[in-house]
Amino acid sequence: MQKSALFAAIGTVVLTLCACEPKQPAPASFELPAVEDIVMYQVNPRVFAPDNSLNAVAQRIDSIRDLGVNVMWVMPIYPIGHEKGKNSPYCISNYTAVAPEFGTIDDFRHLVEVCHAHGMGIILDWVANHTAWDHPWLKAHPDWYSHDAETDTIIHPRPYDWLDVADLNYDNDSLRQAMADAMLFWVKEVGIDGFRCDVADEVPADFWQMAIGRLRQAAAPRRIVMLAEGKRRETFTVGGFDMNYAWDFKDSLLHVFQTGAPASHLIDADRLEYDSLPAGKVKLRFTTNHDESVGGTPVERFGGLRGSMAAYVATVFLHGGALVYGSQEVGYPSPINFFGYVPVDWRENPDIYKEYKHLLGLYNSEPALRKGRLTHYPSDDVLAFEKSDADDRFLVLVNVRNTPVEAAIPASWAGQKVDDEMSGADAVLKETLQLAPYEYRILELDD
């Protein structure tokens, strides 16, 4: 054999061997923050671009990172079912692929790399409760699904009206293993940093315990974060999640802003959520997300742009667990239906973007504000509380009304010199402080 032919043959063999090797995520130096330090940003790809939206998200990475975000949550990007479908990304026909609408799996790998290079983790939305009606499992493994007791036909999740999806039956151990294997694919082969798990309370906690245990073992030594869409205590104590939803706090927030309930109801809601919480676990606090935004944005629900910002301060600084839903940082005014493309003008309301950036900058730079001791001061119209640690003390005042109010200053703060963290001005507090409609103040004790 001539040398040229020999080299060509060797090259062919080498290329063939390379093509057969599975793609592994590139090693990254990024490490997730502690769960109590997470600032999460939810990506609905359908507000970034009508197609190839994963690349559009990657192109906006600086703007997202500059908000103070350290973990990105990406809504489902998997192929969507057509049978009985309504174009919901939560109707999944393949758990280990990417829908062409959003791009390719290599596009998503690129987004993972970009996030890590910018000091951000990235988690994927996971739907373990149900599949599309045209998912291959339905024909290959009908016993993996829930059946009507009388007709023996596969059913949609009860009692919900989710007619586009088929309910999975976790009494079947083979299903459990297949679901965990699919989740492992994204951690091992793509390098994501965890999952937000849809309808987590409807899936048995002991499945989550098994699956999360396998995920943590596969990811080691790097850490992952697991967020449950649910509020059952068992998601923590049995399932092994790190975070779940602060739904009760969100309901209290709407009650205070929309019906005039006393601001102190928020303190009560905060206490009820955290009194039963295991140590080291966090409630994700939000003023909006993809589900909430369908019914109305923060701008609509909390009385305009100023009300939306007052609600955000009231939500985030009480007990951490900060979330930004992509679009709220520019004050997007109208409901967003995530079943189709909704164009967002990212240049709109630049002052609101700067305000979120400043608030989350404070949140990240001041541990006392993020996770310090909470002391509350009951009031009907002003949410007033202190956050403190061994180094710093902050007084936070939020006018939850669309009218001017006179806030009573706690006795321990009256006469004290403070720094206003929003304006940068110094002041000596008197016994009361005038607050404009929906105005908030974050004041640091000046030692």
Side-chain angles (χ1 to χ4, degrees):
M1 181 182 291
Q2 294 182 351
K3 285 185 178 181
S4 58
L6 177 61
F7 291 156
I10 293 173
T12 300
V13 172
V14 170
L15 287 171
T16 303
L17 289 173
C18 292
C20 292
E21 292 179 359
K23 279 196 170 185
Q24 297 292 333
S29 59
F30 170 78
E31 185 175 347
L32 276 175
V35 63
E36 66 268 22
D37 297 331
I38 286 176
V39 176
M40 193 172 291
Y41 185 91
Q42 183 186 0
V43 165
N44 171 5
R46 285 174 166 167
V47 305
F48 284 84
D51 51 44
N52 295 316
S53 49
L54 291 174
N55 288 332
V57 175
Q59 290 167 7
R60 288 202 57 80
I61 197 71
D62 289 331
S63 176
I64 295 170
R65 187 269 318 276
D66 289 350
L67 277 173
V69 171
N70 52 33
V71 173
M72 178 187 289
W73 150 25
V74 182
M75 286 173 62
I77 56 172
Y78 321 99
I80 295 170
H82 297 289
E83 184 179 345
K84 303 183 184 180
K86 49 187 180 182
N87 206 32
S88 168
Y90 291 89
C91 176
I92 296 168
S93 63
N94 185 339
Y95 281 112
T96 56
V98 173
E101 169 191 350
F102 305 122
T104 68
I105 196 164
D106 284 336
D107 292 333
F108 184 68
R109 284 191 172 99
H110 173 66
L111 181 58
V112 172
E113 293 170 358
V114 167
C115 282
H116 288 171
H118 284 73
M120 296 167 54
I122 181 169
I123 66 174
L124 259 180
D125 222 318
W126 194 259
V127 187
N129 184 68
H130 47 261
T131 74
W133 289 96
D134 45 4
H135 193 292
W137 286 355
L138 206 85
K139 290 184 178 179
H141 305 284
D143 55 319
W144 289 6
Y145 290 81
S146 302
H147 290 243
D148 182 89
E150 295 182 1
T151 64
D152 198 33
T153 56
I154 294 172
I155 60 174
H156 71 273
R158 307 282 173 83
Y160 308 105
D161 61 352
W162 305 339
L163 303 180
D164 59 328
V165 291
D167 191 62
L168 288 165
N169 177 12
Y170 277 83
D171 291 338
N172 191 300
D173 189 62
S174 295
L175 164 65
R176 290 174 173 240
Q177 297 303 321
M179 186 64 72
D181 287 344
M183 297 178 79
L184 280 165
F185 168 82
W186 295 97
V187 170
K188 293 173 64 177
E189 304 297 328
V190 183
I192 68 168
D193 303 293
F195 293 94
R196 176 267 186 189
C197 295
D198 187 65
V199 203
D201 283 355
E202 300 297 327
V203 176
D206 61 346
F207 163 74
W208 293 125
Q209 181 182 51
M210 177 275 290
I212 292 173
R214 290 182 64 188
L215 291 170
R216 295 198 195 282
Q217 183 178 24
R222 63 190 181 94
R223 291 183 288 110
I224 60 171
V225 62
M226 299 295 297
L227 164 63
E229 186 202 19
K231 64 178 185 178
R232 287 190 309 168
R233 194 170 187 271
E234 289 79 5
T235 58
F236 293 134
T237 58
V238 178
F241 282 92
D242 303 294
M243 309 175 76
N244 72 5
Y245 270 40
W247 269 320
D248 292 339
F249 185 89
K250 182 269 300 179
D251 290 343
S252 292
L253 188 74
L254 289 170
H255 198 43
V256 167
F257 274 78
Q258 294 182 353
T259 72
S264 56
H265 280 199
L266 297 175
I267 300 294
D268 296 336
D270 177 77
R271 182 185 298 113
L272 286 172
E273 286 191 333
Y274 269 89
D275 276 355
S276 62
L277 210 65
K281 306 299 184 179
V282 171
K283 302 293 283 190
L284 183 71
R285 293 269 167 88
F286 51 88
T287 56
T288 190
N289 57 36
H290 67 286
D291 284 320
E292 298 296 323
S293 190
V294 172
T297 64
V299 175
E300 295 174 302
R301 288 186 159 189
F302 297 108
L305 284 170
R306 295 319 313 155
S308 73
M309 299 311 301
Y312 194 74
V313 172
T315 297
V316 168
F317 288 100
L318 265 179
H319 229 128
L323 174 71
V324 176
Y325 175 52
S327 69
Q328 82 176 89
E329 75 267 34
V330 292
Y332 191 81
S334 305
I336 293 177
N337 188 324
F338 59 89
F339 290 75
Y341 172 58
V342 176
V344 168
D345 183 356
W346 300 103
R347 300 165 297 178
E348 193 173 7
N349 296 316
D351 289 343
I352 294 296
Y353 174 88
K354 291 177 182 177
E355 191 170 352
Y356 275 107
K357 180 179 178 179
H358 187 78
L359 287 169
L360 292 173
L362 283 173
Y363 182 92
N364 285 323
S365 64
E366 301 290 352
L369 278 173
R370 187 169 68 252
K371 53 188 177 182
R373 294 182 300 275
L374 173 65
T375 304
H376 78 276
Y377 304 102
S379 172
D380 285 346
D381 299 322
V382 177
L383 177 65
F385 59 93
E386 177 182 312
K387 296 294 291 294
S388 62
D389 60 15
D391 300 314
D392 299 295
R393 288 177 63 194
F394 293 87
L395 178 65
V396 180
L397 305 168
V398 183
N399 181 2
V400 298
R401 309 294 181 223
N402 194 20
T403 56
V405 299
E406 186 173 64
I409 299 300
S412 62
W413 283 83
Q416 299 287 349
K417 185 179 179 181
V418 296
D419 298 324
D420 188 317
E421 293 294 341
M422 298 305 292
S423 70
D426 296 337
V428 175
L429 290 176
K430 299 179 181 180
E431 292 183 351
T432 62
L433 181 65
Q434 290 290 330
L435 295 176
Y438 293 136
E439 183 181 4
Y440 61 85
R441 305 289 286 274
I442 301 174
L443 307 171
E444 182 178 14
L445 185 66
D446 187 348
D447 293 331

